[in-house]
Amino acid sequence: MDPNSILISSQSGTCSHLAELCVEGERSPASQELEKDSPFPWGQASSSSLTDTNWFGDEHIQAKRARVETIVQGICLSPNPLVPGNAQARDSPCCTEKRKRKQSLPMQQGPLKPGPAWGNRKGGPGVREQFHRLKQQLRHLQQHILQTAEPRAAAQDPRGSEQGQGSLREKQRNSCESNPWATDSDRHQDSSAYLCGAEKHRVSEPEHRSEELRFLSSGTQALLEILRKELTRAVSQAVDSVLQKVLLNPPGHLTQQGRSFQRLVPEGGSEPSPPMGGTYKDLFTLATLPRRTQPQVGVPVGNLPLVKPLDSLRYPISPRISKSYQGPATNYPLAIPSHVQENQILSQLLGRGPNGHWSDNPPLDSSSQSHPSIESALQPWVWSQQPCPLPFTTVPHLESRPLLPSVKTEHNSLEAITDATPFSSEGLNPGHLKKAKLMFFFTRYPSSSLLKAYFPDVQFNRCITSQMIKWFSNFREFYYIQMEKFARQAVSDGVTNPKVLVVLRDSELFRALNMHYNKGNDFEVPDCFLEIASVTLQEFFRAVSTGRDSDPSWKKPIYKIISKLDSDIPEIFKSSRYPQEVFRS
DNA sequence: AAATCGCCTG
DNA sequence: CAGGCGATTT
C-alpha cells in the first residue's frame, strides 16, 4: 500500500544514487580509515600554526597560568572534569587496528591553542576589568545553572552508580565522561576511574554537579555540560590574557602543579600546552578538530576544513539528545576560539543559540548545557552524525529488536544516552540488516560505494564494509540456492519451456524469498525483483535441463548474467531513517 | 596486495 | 549470519 506507492515513485530517481556514489567514491579506503581515527584530518594543517605559538611553551608561564586558573576556579566554578571528548568512542569492535592507529597518529592540536588570542592580550588596561566582569558573569551563570539543575535532579532517578561490569570502557564513557583521560589510551583508565569515583563523592557539593547532571534529562545534561566547559574555558582564556599581560616573571617551580591541575580540570581545554606528551596531544587533536567544525556560531573557527564531516552528516536525524556523548568530542572548540574575545565567548555562551538547538532555550538553559564541548561544538551534527550515526538512526523501531529500544526512548532516560552512545559511531545493527535485505530486491551485487551511499548513517571502515558485503553474499547464496532448487524441481516436473517459469507473488518460490528478505512482509517487493527472479530461475532451469550443471563452474555464467541486472535503488533508501518511512504503519 | 566472490562450515 | 579459505580480478 503506502509503501508501494512510495517505492514506485521513488524508483524513478535513477541517477541520484550515482551522484552519491561519486561523492562517496572520493573517499578512498585509506582516507576513511583516517577519518575514523581522526575524523578531521585537516586539523593537522590548521593546527600547525597555532602550535607554534608558544606562549605556553614556557613552563613558567604555564605554571603561573595554572595557579591563576586554580584560583579562579575556586572563586567561580567547580572544575568539573568533563571529558574533553573521546575519540575512541568510535572504535569499532571489529577493527583493532584503529586503536593502534589512534595512538600512533601524531595529530596536532593546533586549534587548541589560542593563536589569535594574542590580539586580546594586547588589550592592556582593560584586562582587569574584563576579568572581573567575567567572574561575575560566571557566578551568575553558576547560580542559574544550579537553580535550574537542582530541581530536576531530584526528580530523576539517580543511577549514578555504575551498572554492572559491561565493557569497562563504555561505562566509563558514560559515567565518567568528565574525565578527560578516559579518552586517552587505556592506560589511563585507572585514573579515570578514580576521578569518577571522586566525583561521585562530591555530589553534594554544589559546585560539582557532574553527578547531578546525570539525573537530568539528557538534553539538559548536555546543556549543562557544555556550558560548564565553555565557561571554564572562557575563564581560562581570561586568565591567560591576564597572565600574559601581568605575569612576565616565571616562577618556575609550579610546573608540576600546573600539570596536575590540568589533569584534574579537564576543562583544560584551555590548556593549550603544546608541550604536552604525545598521547595527550593526540587526544586533543582528535577531539578537537572535529568540533570546531561546528557551529560555534559566530566563533571563528579558523580551520574550516570541517566541511568533510558535514558530508557524513548529510542525513541528520531528528535531534535527539539521545546520546550525550557520542563522539569523540572535545571541548576544545571553545577553547580555541582564541581570537575570540573572552567576552565574546561568554556572550555566546549566554545567549547563543548556536545552531538553533540552543536557540530555543533561554540563556539560562543553554547554560545548562555544559556538556562536553563535544556537543556544544557540534551540536547540530553531533546529533545527526555520531549519535545517530549508525546504529540508532537508521534503526527505526523495526518490529523487533530489543537492541535499539533505548534509542527511541531518547531523552527520557539516561539509558538512552548510555546505550546509544557507545555504538553511535559504528557497527551495523539489525535495522541495517533489514534495510540491506530489502535493498537486495533491487541489487544483488552492490558495490561498496553504493552501500556507502545508501547507509549514510554508517561509518564505513574495512570491517563494516566487509560485513555488509558479506551480507549480500549471504543473501545471494540463499537466493541462488532457492533458484537452483526450484529450477531442478521444474525439470523433474517435466517442464520443458523455460518461459513458463515465471516468478509471481503467489508462487512458492516468491514466498520463500519474501520470507527471507522481507519477513514481516512489511515491504512491497518491487516488480523488478520478480523479473530478475524469473530470469534467474529460467537460467538455472536451462543450465540444469541441458546438463550444464555437470560443469563445476556451471553457475558462473548465471551469476554473471544476474550481476548485470541490478536495478536502481529507490532514493528513499538513502535516508537513514529509511525503514520508518518505507514500512507501512 | 587488496578487494571480491563463492563455497563450505558452524 | 559470520568465519575461513581459495580463486579471481584489478
Side-chain angles (χ1 to χ4, degrees), chain A residues 139-169:
Chain A
R139 280 189 201 132
H140 285 305
L141 280 174
Q142 267 196 304
Q143 292 186 349
H144 285 306
I145 294 172
L146 284 174
Q147 292 179 357
T148 309
E150 307 258 32
R152 293 191 202 171
Q156 302 252 355
D157 167 43
R159 58 185 216 143
S161 57
E162 317 286 345
Q163 30 212 324
Q165 42 282 100
S167 87
L168 179 61
R169 271 200 157 179

Side-chain angles (χ1 to χ4, degrees), chain A residues 1-14 16 442 569-572:
Chain A
M1 351 237 22
D2 296 343
N4 300 336
S5 58
I6 295 173
L7 289 175
I8 295 170
S9 60
S10 56
Q11 272 185 306
S12 56
T14 312
S16 58
F442 302 91
I569 302 170
E571 288 296 306
I572 193 168

Side-chain angles (χ1 to χ4, degrees), chain A residues 125-143:
Chain A
V127 177
R128 262 193 193 174
E129 286 187 9
Q130 232 184 4
F131 187 54
H132 237 40
R133 274 188 296 167
L134 284 172
K135 282 207 284 186
Q136 288 191 322
Q137 285 181 306
L138 283 173
R139 280 189 201 132
H140 285 305
L141 280 174
Q142 267 196 304
Q143 292 186 349

Side-chain angles (χ1 to χ4, degrees), chain A residues 523-565:
Chain A
F523 179 81
E524 174 82 1
V525 178
D527 290 331
C528 62
F529 177 73
L530 295 178
E531 294 175 29
I532 277 54
S534 297
V535 173
T536 309
L537 178 62
Q538 290 167 21
E539 289 301 324
F540 268 92
F541 173 83
R542 289 196 182 91
V544 174
S545 61
T546 59
R548 274 181 281 165
D549 59 338
S550 57
D551 178 340
S553 55
W554 64 282
K555 293 177 183 175
K556 277 192 176 180
I558 298 175
Y559 295 156
K560 190 173 183 180
I561 293 171
I562 304 306
S563 68
K564 294 176 180 176
L565 300 176

Side-chain angles (χ1 to χ4, degrees), chain A residues 159-345:
Chain A
R159 58 185 216 143
S161 57
E162 317 286 345
Q163 30 212 324
Q165 42 282 100
S167 87
L168 179 61
R169 271 200 157 179
E170 298 190 345
K171 297 267 150 131
Q172 285 191 349
R173 237 177 255 140
N174 301 322
S175 58
C176 305
E177 322 171 42
S178 52
N179 179 341
W181 305 100
T183 311
D184 207 85
S185 58
D186 296 342
R187 14 181 193 173
H188 291 108
Q189 287 192 348
D190 292 4
S191 61
S192 57
Y194 171 83
L195 288 175
C196 289
E199 252 191 28
K200 288 182 179 180
H201 292 303
R202 295 187 287 181
V203 176
S204 57
E205 295 182 58
E207 298 164 1
H208 292 281
R209 294 188 300 293
S210 17
E211 266 296 311
E212 297 172 345
L213 290 177
R214 285 181 207 156
F215 309 154
L216 300 177
S217 67
S218 57
T220 304
Q221 231 181 318
L223 288 173
L224 282 171
E225 295 244 294
I226 291 169
L227 221 180
R228 228 200 261 157
K229 288 222 163 185
E230 305 211 304
L231 285 174
T232 303
R233 244 179 251 128
V235 173
S236 295
Q237 293 228 339
V239 173
D240 289 345
S241 298
V242 174
L243 278 173
Q244 278 270 328
K245 305 237 149 184
V246 183
L247 303 177
L248 296 180
N249 340 323
H253 60 299
L254 299 178
T255 307
Q256 284 267 351
Q257 292 184 1
R259 277 226 173 192
S260 58
F261 179 78
Q262 291 177 357
R263 284 171 114 210
L264 294 177
V265 187
E267 324 282 338
S270 60
E271 98 155 35
S273 50
M276 286 305 271
T279 42
Y280 205 33
K281 239 188 182 178
D282 292 357
L283 246 180
F284 282 154
T285 10
L286 291 176
T288 312
L289 298 182
R291 293 212 160 233
R292 301 182 162 227
T293 326
Q294 263 187 19
Q296 309 239 337
V297 185
V299 178
V301 182
N303 17 340
L304 310 182
L306 314 172
V307 183
K308 255 209 168 174
L310 291 177
D311 285 338
S312 46
L313 306 182
R314 282 181 276 194
Y315 307 88
I317 297 173
S318 55
R320 51 182 74 169
I321 314 177
S322 39
K323 23 287 295 336
S324 35
Y325 202 33
Q326 358 194 308
T330 321
N331 344 331
Y332 310 94
L334 292 179
I336 307 141
S338 30
H339 33 316
V340 177
Q341 302 283 342
E342 287 88 339
N343 291 339
Q344 289 185 331
I345 296 174

Side-chain angles (χ1 to χ4, degrees), chain A residues 482-503:
Chain A
Q482 296 302 311
M483 293 299 169
E484 181 179 353
K485 176 177 152 191
F486 281 83
R488 288 185 184 286
Q489 175 137 21
V491 172
S492 61
D493 287 347
V495 175
T496 56
N497 183 356
K499 296 290 180 185
V500 306
L501 297 176
V502 178
V503 179

